Amino acid sequence: MTTRGKTARGALALEGPERTAAVGAAIAERLRVGDVVTLDGPLGAGKTTLARGLLAALGLEEDAPSPSFPIVIAYDEGLRLPVWHVDLYRIEDAGEAEELGLDDALIDTALVIEWAERLGPGRWPDALILSIEDAPDGGRRLTWEAGPSWERRWPPAL
């Protein structure tokens, strides 16, 4: 599935919110400072559920709110590593995101970004790009593209 230095691609079924959160927890085990994880999919697909699973596995004790209105929620207290949970749903122009300082945050933080496609393709070529979509059986399907820095870290045995 992975060729050294190339992007790995794959898919798996998400049977429900628990499975979606478990994928987030699996990402948390492998997450490092400087990583970008993007979450794409329609409204209600499970992007925030996956992000909540990731944050809980990193040590967040309360339920993470959706960052739809604040756009960025920074988590650094009590977590294994600092994470910014970002929701770009309300961003209409990619230039608006420059003011958020996302690239600068990567010096000492990992980014989990919902609706990253609003910034255009290729923004973070080494990101773990996740997409949640409806599956023909009525469930959900997670597809991914994992950049070279995720080699040996993704996909986990789920």
Side-chain angles (χ1 to χ4, degrees):
M1 184 170 316
T2 302
T3 305
R4 189 164 187 78
K6 302 284 184 183
T7 299
R9 292 178 172 78
L12 63 94
L14 298 175
E15 293 86 16
E18 297 80 16
R19 174 80 163 163
T20 304
V23 171
I27 295 167
E29 292 174 12
R30 294 151 178 79
L31 197 65
R32 302 186 297 217
V33 166
D35 280 340
V36 177
V37 178
T38 67
L39 305 169
D40 299 326
L43 286 170
K47 297 179 296 294
T48 301
T49 299
L50 192 147
R52 286 177 177 149
L54 182 150
L55 290 164
L58 288 175
L60 186 66
E61 293 182 9
E62 68 269 10
D63 194 24
S66 172
S68 293
F69 291 101
I71 300 177
V72 175
I73 300 176
Y75 296 97
D76 53 10
E77 305 260 337
L79 270 64
R80 180 177 64 79
L81 61 94
V83 174
W84 282 16
H85 184 190
V86 182
D87 186 324
L88 300 176
Y89 182 73
R90 295 185 309 122
I91 298 291
E92 294 182 18
D93 180 278
E96 294 176 57
E98 293 302 319
E99 297 175 22
L100 300 176
L102 301 178
D103 290 324
D104 293 336
L106 290 172
I107 294 169
D108 59 4
T109 303
L111 300 177
V112 177
I113 305 173
E114 298 184 39
W115 300 95
E117 69 272 15
R118 295 188 179 248
L119 299 181
R123 176 69 183 256
W124 293 285
D126 217 20
L128 176 60
I129 301 167
L130 305 175
S131 181
I132 303 172
E133 54 202 32
D134 291 330
D137 65 3
R140 302 262 198 253
R141 175 180 158 98
L142 175 77
T143 57
W144 69 79
E145 293 183 25
S149 77
W150 285 90
E151 188 174 7
R152 294 187 178 90
R153 292 192 287 158
W154 192 262
L158 292 170

